Amino acid sequence: MEHIAIIGNGISGVTLARHIRKLSDKKITIISAESDYFFSRTALMYVYMGHMTFEHTQPYENWFWKKNSIELKKGYVHKIDTDNKTLHFNEGDTLVYDKLVIASGSKPNKFGWPGQDLNGVQGLYSKQDLENLEIYAPNNKVCKGAVIVGGGLIGIELAEMLNSRNIPVTFLVRESSFWNGVLPEGESQMINRHIKNHHIDLRLSTNLKEIISDHNGKVKSIIIEETGEELPCDFVGLTAGVTPNISFLKDSKIKINRGVLVNRFLETNIKDVYAIGDCAEQHEAIGNRRSIEAVWYTGRMMGETLAQTICDNRMEYKPGHWFNSAKFLDIEYQTYGWVHGKKGKPDYEAHFHWKHDDDTKCITIAYHRDTNQFLGINTFGIRMRHEVFDRWLTEKRDIDYVVEHLEDANFDPEFYKRFENEIKETYNNTLQTN
Amino acid sequence: MSLKLNYSMSLGNSYGLTKTQKVASAVGMLGLFILTLALFNVEFPNKTIALTLALSMLFAGVIWFSNSMYLSKSKGIKNDGVYFKSLSSKGLTGWLIGVALTLFYIVLYFYPEYLGLAQKGEENTGLVALFDPLSQLLSGRNASQWFVYGTLYTVAILVFGYKFILKYRHNRYEQIRTISVMFFQLAFAFLIPEFMYVMNSDLPYYDLKNVWPLNYYNFEQYRIKAFINAGNIGLAMLIFGIVSIFVITPILTYKYGKRWYCSWVCGCGALAETAGDSFRQLSDKSKFAWNVERWVIHSVLVFVVLMTTAVIHSYLGNDTSKYWLTKSSFLTGVGVLLTLVFAGTMIFKRKELAKDAKYGAIGYFIVIAVLFAMYFFSKDNTLFVFKSESLRKSYGFLIGSIFSGVIGTGFYPIFGSRVWCRFGCPMAAILGFQQRLFSKFRITTNGGQCISCGNCSTYCEMGIDVRAYAQKGENIVRSSCVGCGICSAVCPRGVLKLENDSMKGRINPNEILLGNDVDLMSLVNENR
Ligand SMILES: Cc1cc2nc3c(=O)[nH]c(=O)nc-3n(C[C@H](O)[C@H](O)[C@H](O)COP(=O)(O)OP(=O)(O)OC[C@H]3O[C@@H](n4cnc5c(N)ncnc54)[C@H](O)[C@@H]3O)c2cc1C
Ligand code: SF4
Ligand code: SF4
């Protein structure tokens, strides 16, 4: 029986294993150094905020793995010998595979700031990070103030988390407005205001210079690059993005760049070795996507696809239309297709923007300047239907059609106030003035 | 996990109550304290004032508390610290309240004299006497333990309903639904029966929204007699009771799912959603619990069908010339009806039932066998060796009192708020059966947006593992779903929507979710 070894028990590795099991009776081993069972990283924040326990983050009950004869191995792979198809573990033991899948995920970026390895300085990625948070920021007595460095999706989650325990948070963001590398200006500024309304001290265009230690090797304060100001704090969250977690591959023959390099079939340069999820890097980016996509559903989709290849139905990874979602404190965000912020916005892309008076809801529709073709939508505070936008993108609808039929895409709960008419009105008025 | 323990040690500062909230709690507690004093037979100089004071303090305390808890914060999901608070995470407070509630229910059902219920010919004392003025005001008679219970039950739904509405300030579905249950409790369960008594004191107590088999005693002989003796209005009520089972319920459930009843009308649901809201997350989500649920709830259903049939059977006559409905025509009718339902399901819906079909068949054949036995072997109201009366009594004791009251409500802080609705309620079983097979209702999953975070499953009071469906891009069509809408509310990615839409494509098992290669999707999803 062929033995498939998977390094990483995150969404990509686990999805792959589940699908291989559906298609075959190959032997499957999932390896992780992080946790005994698969859990949802995306839910770490809810454990810290007391919305759920860690057990709730595990999507499958513990009997699931045995029942589906998926073997789980806890251990850290420190060396891969692809010539002999052998994995070497920190603990000294080894494991022989027929096919190997690297699904080792990411790790938080650290940009060489002085003091970045002090106690009380950490990212938010792993289960261990969550446990350390409970040590260094369990409440506002132990942690009188926290600083978060890096204004992305994980940064804002960490801010919300600390805020939930009444720990004063200073949020350092390099950009001139929150996440405006991705979000158009109107949206980004609405989120700025929302963050400040939650009593989070948002500092835009602000960089970290260094982190200062106390006598015991624990963070005492940080210094801001621009002003030289020293902010006392007991906790520093480093959330300036993630990079593939592949340092253990350095001495192997597997070709890496920032991530593990793969072709469209998710194959590496070595036969029978594949990579999926956060750690995989496409030789060439697919469409507008990035060559490394560190999001939940792309990991899942790569797992779904690679299972076919491994079970003898070689299949290309062909993601459909881009979509994603996030939540900024109380405001939900969804996106379908491509809507660019200032940075990286192609010349042909034009925007229609509508914002509700209460400053918690807005949408931006991107369309082609010349053809009016609908390119994508960002929606804040209004839920939309994935299926409908996916179809409209495939059908290459124009923006008039999309605005006209917006109610078909609404996914808010029943009885919610609807805004389509207001949006249409704004749309018609904007067009006339244009 | 160790995290939780660590935290509860350092609890005091971040998740503790603010000063205002403490004072507000104290006001509410004082109201309860007055009631407790009454329970211990403290004589108040003026009962009306004491009762008014107690109830007002309960209202004021909870309303003030809720305002301070929610109005100062932004609109949104308010579950911070749920698993750090002793009350909502099976901590000491949770257990203490559980024990207190359980004891209260035991006394209420089995030892009402301790609450002060008058023994024959005497005056009420204690707690029951405290409620005499209110009962006099409404219906001109003295209170009973049930009046006390009904009042407290209604007060609980009203005050905690208010709290719930503030908690979900951003969610119109939750607000409107809660206003609905508050209205039905206050009007239908509490006020209307009292007024009906004033109008016609021969009428039996009838909460019109309480449909058989939840209202398992509705067709007992003494009630039927009372209905018939009360003339037209009584007859109308009896007919309404029957129409609500066979006409109103199926139509509404077809259009809206069982939620129209369980989360919009029902009193048990109302208490669970309001006073029980702090405990919804404690429901057991394991597959094991789901198996237990299906066995237990369907056994209760079989039990109540047989019990009701036996009871009605026992007081019908044999002579067709006296009354058209006789013992044998009644039994035949029940048998035919059940056979029609069973055959229809097996013919048209077999595929959707899958494995459950087997259990359905077992249940059906047991019922039919017993019907036959009744027909052939019962003499003088006995069924084999059981008297139908003792069947009724044991149902009333086991299911009506112990299950729905003592366990169902008393154990809120331990098993979660909908234990009765999930494991015990025969009404829920019937509605659920229809919801699963003949209803437009489903929870739609939003393509590939689910991030498997688990908020939905955690906060599903019915213990449904919502995530298991959502992360497969599959709609949720489960008989137990009461349509409370909380899974949709707490989902941080906007994945879930409760909807009534066409029956076609309602159940949509997917292996590959929307967003992936369209060829792969059709290869895997259509090849199944
Ligand atoms: C706080 C947070 C919130 C997020 N929220 C969202 C969101 O809302 N939406 C979204 O789309 N994405 C979100 N993400 C990103 C998403 O979680 C990741 O894209 C996804 O988890 C990646 O899955 P993966 O399977 O590729 O890797 P991972 O989940 O990282 O799994 C890799 C596993 O491999 C183990 N491993 C690595 N190397 C070795 C080794 N040498 N030996 C043994 N084990 C090893 C790791 O310890 C880890 O357990 C979030 C991430 C974080 C941290
Ligand atoms: S599935 Fe959702 S709507 Fe249904 S009972 Fe559970 S939480 Fe309520
Ligand atoms: S449906 Fe929503 S709440 Fe449930 S697991 Fe998915 S993202 Fe989380």
Side-chain angles (χ1 to χ4, degrees):
Chain A
M1 213 170 16
E2 198 176 32
H3 182 193
I4 315 290
I6 303 169
I7 304 179
N9 66 349
I11 180 67
S12 53
V14 162
T15 309
L16 171 72
R18 279 179 41 240
H19 281 263
I20 296 179
R21 179 50 72 242
K22 276 189 194 126
L23 297 167
S24 77
D25 58 359
K26 294 180 200 296
K27 180 175 171 185
I28 304 172
T29 307
I30 302 183
I31 300 151
S32 168
E34 184 183 11
S35 60
D36 294 331
Y37 299 103
F38 169 48
F39 72 96
S40 291
R41 227 168 266 305
T42 50
L44 284 176
M45 66 182 293
Y46 300 107
V47 179
Y48 179 83
M49 297 202 298
H51 295 206
M52 41 174 115
T53 64
F54 185 77
E55 285 69 23
H56 289 122
T57 68
Q58 297 174 178
Y60 302 96
E61 285 184 67
N62 294 350
W63 49 258
F64 176 87
W65 310 101
K66 195 153 183 206
K67 179 162 174 263
N68 289 290
S69 51
I70 295 172
E71 277 177 43
L72 304 179
K73 171 159 174 57
K74 194 159 184 187
Y76 185 80
V77 178
H78 73 94
K79 193 176 144 213
I80 301 180
D81 175 356
T82 46
D83 295 336
N84 296 306
K85 293 197 167 182
T86 305
L87 303 179
H88 294 266
F89 292 94
N90 258 0
E91 294 72 16
D93 49 341
T94 57
L95 185 128
V96 179
Y97 64 83
D98 296 307
K99 285 188 175 141
L100 174 68
V101 181
I102 300 162
S104 56
S106 311
K107 58 178 199 287
N109 279 333
K110 290 186 174 180
F111 291 127
W113 292 293
Q116 67 183 15
D117 295 318
L118 290 172
N119 288 336
V121 181
Q122 63 170 85
L124 174 65
Y125 192 84
S126 63
K127 181 168 182 247
Q128 284 73 32
D129 290 336
L130 179 70
E131 282 157 4
N132 284 331
L133 256 168
E134 288 291 351
I135 297 172
Y136 295 106
N139 56 47
N140 57 12
K141 296 259 150 57
V142 175
C143 179
K144 296 200 173 55
V147 172
I148 296 172
V149 183
L153 296 178
I154 298 182
I156 185 116
E157 283 187 4
L158 188 54
E160 182 178 357
M161 290 160 68
L162 295 163
N163 210 31
S164 79
R165 294 200 186 179
N166 294 329
I167 296 172
V169 177
T170 308
F171 193 6
L172 308 189
V173 173
R174 190 181 53 180
E175 292 78 20
S176 58
S177 178
F178 179 78
W179 216 38
N180 67 355
V182 177
L183 297 180
E185 222 42 42
E187 303 173 344
S188 162
Q189 281 172 13
M190 185 179 90
I191 300 299
N192 289 343
R193 292 186 291 272
H194 189 64
I195 295 173
K196 287 182 186 155
N197 283 343
H198 279 74
H199 312 291
I200 292 166
D201 180 8
L202 175 67
R203 309 266 185 110
L204 298 168
S205 306
T206 305
N207 283 277
L208 171 69
K209 183 169 176 213
E210 67 173 302
I211 305 166
I212 314 261
S213 169
D214 69 2
H215 306 306
N216 307 316
K218 194 184 139 282
V219 51
K220 180 181 85 178
S221 62
I222 61 118
I223 300 207
I224 289 174
E225 176 85 58
E226 284 72 15
T227 56
E229 184 188 353
E230 179 171 357
L231 288 176
C233 59
D234 296 302
F235 177 85
V236 176
L238 301 179
T239 56
V242 295
T243 25
N245 179 14
I246 53 165
S247 45
F248 66 105
L249 295 178
K250 279 209 184 88
D251 304 323
S252 76
K253 293 188 175 162
I254 302 167
K255 211 166 148 194
I256 56 175
N257 179 34
R258 277 204 303 135
V260 183
L261 283 170
V262 293
N263 61 17
R264 286 292 291 271
F265 293 90
L266 304 164
E267 299 160 338
T268 66
N269 62 319
I270 308 279
K271 187 168 177 299
D272 292 338
V273 179
Y274 310 82
I276 54 174
D278 277 23
C279 68
E281 177 175 354
Q282 289 285 334
H283 287 288
E284 269 165 57
I286 304 172
N288 272 334
R289 289 171 182 263
R290 299 180 188 184
S291 54
I292 300 175
E293 289 185 300
V295 288
W296 185 261
Y297 78 88
T298 52
R300 172 173 54 66
M301 295 199 310
M302 289 184 217
E304 290 166 351
T305 312
L306 183 62
Q308 297 289 333
T309 303
I310 286 186
C311 296
D312 304 323
N313 175 24
R314 189 156 178 265
M315 185 161 272
E316 213 178 310
Y317 172 55
K318 268 197 290 190
H321 301 293
W322 170 256
F323 67 94
N324 203 8
S325 55
K327 192 171 178 185
F328 306 107
L329 302 160
D330 292 320
I331 301 183
E332 287 174 20
Y333 154 70
Q334 296 182 335
T335 182
Y336 302 100
W338 291 107
V339 182
H340 289 93
K342 246 190 324 217
K343 199 178 94 186
K345 182 168 128 188
D347 286 338
Y348 60 78
E349 183 178 319
H351 287 175
F352 159 69
H353 183 66
W354 166 88
K355 185 164 79 57
H356 189 261
D357 290 337
D358 75 1
D359 211 21
T360 64
K361 299 172 196 74
C362 72
I363 65 166
T364 303
I365 303 181
Y367 60 98
H368 197 292
R369 210 177 278 290
D370 307 323
T371 63
N372 272 355
Q373 185 188 328
F374 168 60
L375 300 173
I377 183 168
N378 279 354
T379 136
F380 289 76
I382 303 177
R383 295 176 173 180
M384 300 279 186
R385 251 177 234 271
H386 183 183
E387 195 211 325
V388 172
F389 281 115
D390 194 76
R391 192 171 68 234
W392 288 346
L393 287 164
T394 305
E395 293 169 351
K396 299 198 167 31
R397 294 291 179 180
D398 63 18
I399 181 170
D400 289 340
Y401 181 92
V402 169
V403 173
E404 191 55 37
H405 294 85
L406 212 49
E407 58 258 40
D408 298 345
N410 184 289
F411 201 70
D412 269 339
E414 294 151 301
F415 303 111
Y416 267 43
K417 203 164 170 241
R418 303 287 287 264
F419 303 100
E420 286 90 8
N421 288 338
E422 219 177 288
I423 294 172
K424 274 178 215 170
E425 217 169 279
T426 316
Y427 178 69
N428 292 334
N429 293 341
T430 341
L431 279 204
Q432 273 151 20
T433 53
N434 267 357
Chain B
M1 198 172 92
S2 60
L3 290 180
K4 193 172 137 188
L5 285 181
N6 282 344
Y7 197 72
S8 51
M9 293 301 174
S10 57
L11 190 122
N13 40 57
S14 302
Y15 282 104
L17 302 178
T18 65
K19 262 204 197 97
T20 320
Q21 288 161 7
K22 280 183 190 149
V23 178
S25 311
V27 171
M29 288 294 173
L30 220 59
L32 270 186
F33 183 63
I34 297 179
L35 297 181
T36 318
L37 287 182
L39 186 64
F40 290 107
N41 279 318
V42 172
E43 276 292 326
F44 295 107
N46 185 329
K47 285 198 188 110
T48 313
I49 291 181
L51 180 64
T52 313
L53 205 64
L55 295 186
S56 323
M57 286 178 117
L58 279 177
F59 270 97
V62 181
I63 289 175
W64 191 12
F65 183 92
S66 315
N67 288 352
S68 135
M69 183 102 168
Y70 300 120
L71 286 183
S72 60
K73 293 197 193 135
S74 65
K75 296 182 185 180
I77 293 304
K78 295 283 166 273
N79 286 334
D80 287 353
V82 163
Y83 274 96
F84 303 138
K85 292 176 192 156
S86 174
L87 175 70
S88 52
S89 65
K90 294 192 229 183
L92 185 63
T93 322
W95 277 98
L96 287 179
I97 291 187
V99 169
L101 278 174
T102 308
L103 288 176
F104 172 73
Y105 271 93
I106 291 175
V107 172
L108 175 75
Y109 281 111
F110 307 114
Y111 305 101
E113 60 274 16
Y114 293 147
L115 297 179
L117 183 69
Q119 309 293 55
K120 278 218 163 52
E122 292 172 15
E123 285 286 296
N124 280 336
T125 55
L127 188 62
V128 180
L130 186 68
F131 282 74
D132 281 342
L134 183 61
S135 184
Q136 286 291 351
L137 179 75
L138 290 172
S139 64
R141 57 183 161 171
N142 272 345
S144 67
Q145 85 271 33
W146 298 120
F147 180 80
V148 174
Y149 178 52
T151 312
L152 292 177
Y153 197 101
T154 308
V155 168
I157 288 174
L158 293 180
V159 296
F160 289 110
Y162 176 83
K163 175 165 179 269
F164 190 82
I165 287 173
L166 289 196
K167 181 172 174 189
Y168 287 97
R169 265 192 306 152
H170 61 297
N171 192 315
R172 291 260 300 272
Y173 179 78
E174 296 307 332
Q175 294 183 323
I176 296 175
R177 179 173 76 73
T178 306
I179 291 168
S180 169
V181 288
M182 288 161 77
F183 164 77
F184 276 105
Q185 176 62 30
L186 182 63
F188 280 62
F190 187 62
L191 295 178
I192 294 178
E194 299 296 329
F195 297 154
M196 286 199 313
Y197 175 83
V198 177
M199 262 168 29
N200 185 341
S201 63
D202 291 335
L203 281 173
Y205 169 89
Y206 190 12
D207 170 356
L208 287 168
K209 68 177 172 47
N210 231 0
V211 183
W212 181 91
L214 181 56
N215 185 351
Y216 58 91
Y217 44 80
N218 206 22
F219 300 109
E220 277 164 28
Q221 190 168 17
Y222 77 95
R223 287 177 69 92
I224 302 293
K225 272 199 182 133
F227 282 135
I228 291 173
N229 292 341
N232 284 341
I233 174 129
L235 206 60
M237 283 163 66
L238 181 59
I239 292 173
F240 179 78
I242 297 170
V243 168
S244 52
I245 304 168
F246 291 109
V247 182
I248 301 179
T249 298
I251 293 179
L252 290 177
T253 309
Y254 172 70
K255 291 184 82 149
Y256 307 112
K258 87 197 230 188
R259 58 182 170 152
W260 77 268
Y261 193 72
C262 299
S263 314
W264 286 74
V265 174
C266 177
C268 306
L271 192 72
E273 295 289 344
T274 53
D277 176 59
S278 306
F279 313 111
R280 63 169 57 248
Q281 67 283 355
L282 301 176
S283 61
D284 190 335
K285 315 300 187 308
S286 68
K287 188 118 188 203
F288 173 74
W290 185 16
N291 283 332
V292 173
E293 166 194 321
R294 284 183 290 182
W295 275 105
V296 175
I297 193 171
H298 293 112
S299 308
V300 175
L301 180 60
V302 168
F303 192 1
V304 78
V305 168
L306 289 178
M307 184 273 289
T308 309
T309 313
V311 164
I312 298 177
H313 178 254
S314 72
Y315 62 72
L316 288 173
N318 283 318
D319 189 350
T320 37
S321 60
K322 280 204 195 118
Y323 193 60
W324 59 273
L325 191 63
T326 61
K327 275 191 199 311
S328 52
S329 57
F330 172 68
L331 285 185
T332 318
V334 174
V336 169
L337 183 74
L338 290 176
T339 306
L340 283 178
V341 172
F342 179 71
T345 313
M346 284 299 160
I347 294 168
F348 298 111
K349 296 282 170 178
R350 205 187 156 78
K351 235 177 72 199
E352 283 159 46
L353 269 180
K355 272 186 284 181
D356 296 348
K358 201 171 77 200
Y359 302 111
I362 297 174
Y364 167 75
F365 284 114
I366 292 179
V367 177
I368 292 295
V370 178
L371 289 182
F372 269 107
M374 268 187 225
Y375 185 74
F376 288 114
F377 302 116
S378 69
K379 291 198 249 6
D380 314 328
N381 305 339
T382 48
L383 176 63
F384 312 121
V385 283
F386 304 111
K387 269 192 154 39
S388 61
E389 179 54 23
S390 54
L391 209 57
R392 193 206 73 83
K393 275 211 179 115
S394 38
Y395 184 91
F397 172 75
L398 283 174
I399 311 296
S401 311
I402 299 283
F403 206 154
S404 79
V406 179
I407 300 179
T409 312
F411 284 32
Y412 268 14
I414 309 304
F415 295 142
S417 50
R418 287 263 197 181
V419 177
W420 160 248
C421 311
R422 180 183 179 193
F423 293 94
C425 177
M427 177 80 184
I430 296 184
L431 295 175
F433 176 77
Q434 194 194 336
Q435 166 159 291
R436 173 92 185 282
L437 299 174
F438 307 99
S439 169
K440 292 156 144 320
F441 173 72
R442 91 291 311 275
I443 303 178
T444 306
T445 294
N446 202 5
Q449 286 283 23
C450 175
I451 53 168
S452 302
C453 69
N455 275 292
C456 51
S457 298
T458 308
Y459 285 88
C460 176
E461 56 192 348
M462 297 304 282
I464 298 174
D465 190 359
V466 184
R467 164 175 58 191
Y469 300 83
Q471 66 188 0
K472 285 196 279 182
E474 185 176 339
N475 292 346
I476 294 102
V477 179
R478 275 279 291 267
S479 47
S480 61
C481 169
V482 290
C484 67
I486 294 298
C487 54
S488 162
V490 297
C491 173
R493 294 297 178 268
V495 177
L496 305 164
K497 178 171 163 72
L498 284 66
E499 291 190 290
N500 317 307
D501 201 344
S502 81
M503 297 259 290
K504 212 174 136 243
R506 180 167 163 257
I507 303 178
N508 60 338
N510 280 332
E511 293 302 338
I512 307 288
L513 280 71
L514 184 60
N516 210 335
D517 184 1
V518 276
D519 299 333
L520 178 61
M521 281 176 68
S522 41
L523 172 79
V524 177
N525 294 341
E526 277 154 32
N527 270 1
R528 284 156 54 86

